[in-house]
Amino acid sequence: DKDGTNSMTLAVTVLRRQTPAISMTTATNSYTQSFDALASDGTGNEWDNAAYPFAAWYAFTGTEVTSYRSGDGGGTTGGIYSWGTDSNRSLGSLASGGNAYRFGVAFTNETGQAITNLTVAFSAVQWRVGASPSTNTLTFEYCVTNAVLPLTEGVWRPVRALCFDSPLVTNATQAAGSAHAVSAKSAVIGQPIGAGQVVLLRWSD
């Protein structure tokens, strides 16, 4: 005030810069993500859609995900996970309590022409063998739109060749801390992606 007898504390929150989609600028363009920037420990690591730790990557479980956990397959708490035992990380999830987790990435076609063959390739790893005889499936789907949409909206098309069925189910000999099964996945998305359009890729657990 005018007498200088009162003070005020001001808190300012600075939002991270978002990158809604990765730009595809040439017909032979490629994008690779190792996920090694994910944390190797902790249960409340920051996740900020389209901004941190990865540009143009998103995660949802009904609402936007704001944090992720690190693990080696020994835990039982559901969530988005950084899987691994060292600095070589994998992005994944553990569904539990009726919650479904989705994560994915967006690309925009800035080549000036339609893209008719988009190859998607990744390695799928099973880090946990739970106490259930049921096979769990990590479902892959894509959506071609005119704008970036949340992973919970839009018309999605599954690609069976890019879905991952857990090779192992209940098995007491499978300890935590090792990649139980690794599967290389690759397929071509043939639906045209017009100039200026967006293609969203998502994995659902």
Side-chain angles (χ1 to χ4, degrees):
D1 63 11
K2 64 182 181 63
D3 298 321
T5 56
N6 294 326
S7 62
M8 178 178 65
T9 300
L10 177 65
V12 178
T13 300
V14 179
L15 299 178
R16 295 181 183 274
R17 179 180 181 274
Q18 289 190 325
T19 302
I22 303 296
S23 297
M24 297 186 290
T25 56
T26 66
T28 57
N29 200 20
S30 64
Y31 169 83
T32 302
Q33 180 55 256
S34 68
F35 302 114
D36 289 347
L38 291 171
S40 58
D41 56 45
T43 59
N45 301 297
E46 180 187 359
W47 180 281
D48 187 359
N49 275 343
Y52 186 82
F54 305 112
W57 279 83
Y58 300 83
F60 285 84
T61 174
T63 58
E64 290 188 12
V65 168
T66 57
S67 65
Y68 67 94
R69 308 174 70 89
S70 297
D72 63 1
T76 59
T77 302
I80 295 294
Y81 269 81
S82 165
W83 295 112
T85 56
D86 50 29
S87 60
N88 184 12
R89 312 307 298 175
S90 299
L91 174 64
S93 57
L94 176 60
S96 67
N99 294 316
Y101 293 92
R102 291 189 171 99
F103 52 91
V105 61
F107 298 88
T108 182
N109 178 7
E110 296 184 1
T111 65
Q113 58 188 338
I115 295 175
T116 56
N117 289 284
L118 177 67
T119 300
V120 178
F122 61 94
S123 293
V125 182
Q126 182 178 355
W127 276 97
R128 174 173 170 76
V129 182
S132 169
S134 302
T135 297
N136 293 288
T137 298
L138 188 65
T139 303
F140 174 89
E141 298 166 296
Y142 73 94
C143 175
V144 177
T145 74
N146 292 322
V148 176
L149 298 175
L151 299 183
T152 53
E153 300 178 11
V155 178
W156 295 85
R157 295 174 171 83
V159 180
R160 185 69 190 106
L162 295 175
C163 295
F164 178 63
D165 296 326
S166 59
L168 301 174
V169 290
T170 303
N171 186 337
T173 65
Q174 300 293 333
S178 61
H180 301 310
V182 181
S183 178
K185 297 289 184 179
S186 181
V188 174
I189 294 176
Q191 180 181 347
I193 305 163
Q197 285 193 308
V198 171
V199 59
L200 298 156
L201 312 179
R202 80 176 182 187
W203 290 260
S204 299
D205 184 2

